[in-house]
Each structure stands twice: as C-alpha cells, then as structure tokens.
Amino acid sequence: MDTQLRLGMKVIATDGEAGVLEDILSDKDGMARYLVVRDKGVFGSDVVLPANQATAEGEEARLPLTKAQIHAAERYDED
C-alpha cells in the first residue's frame, strides 16, 4: 500500500512523537519541498523541514531526526 503525506498526520521523530503535519509547501510543479510541522515543544511553534526526508507510514509521517532537532529547526512564518 502506497501511503502519501497528508495534513494532520502525526510526525514521528527517531525518539517519539514530535508534532503534527500542518502544511506541505510545494514548488511550481507541484512537488513537495517542505513540511510545516507544529512541534510539540513547550510553545508549540511551527517549523519548516525538508519534505524529502519524510516517509509516510499509515497515519504517521516519519523523519530521521530527533525531537530536539525538529524543535530547533527554522520557524515557519507565512509572510
């Protein structure tokens, strides 16, 4: 079964649940380039991560990063 990344998926780091997939940013050709993840840190901010690192498994998006690495990623600003 081919599972694709979808909004609302739980984001799983190498050391546990890290957040929720809030948005998928695509290029002009429709190719997913970045994921916007609402991290589960104390302040629950949105971070941007490369989409090519993620794999979808069932209802989860898995990343080869730790929760700390995800929390330390660049913050997402819609503007």
Side-chain angles (χ1 to χ4, degrees):
M1 174 170 64
D2 183 27
T3 304
Q4 294 189 7
L5 296 171
R6 294 180 312 283
L7 302 184
M9 291 179 118
K10 289 181 184 178
V11 175
I12 308 299
T14 58
D15 56 350
E17 187 176 341
V20 175
L21 183 55
E22 291 286 317
D23 202 357
I24 300 171
L25 306 177
S26 301
D27 63 16
K28 64 181 178 156
D29 298 321
M31 180 71 111
R33 294 294 178 196
Y34 298 97
L35 305 178
V36 178
V37 174
R38 170 64 55 123
D39 82 46
K40 292 187 72 160
V42 176
F43 299 106
S45 59
D46 291 340
V47 296
V48 180
L49 300 164
N52 65 352
Q53 293 184 355
T55 57
E57 296 179 18
E59 296 301 313
E60 299 175 341
R62 295 191 169 269
L63 289 164
L65 303 168
T66 65
K67 292 187 283 188
Q69 288 172 313
I70 291 171
H71 180 70
E74 182 179 340
R75 298 291 177 238
Y76 176 67
D77 180 5
E78 275 188 69
D79 299 326

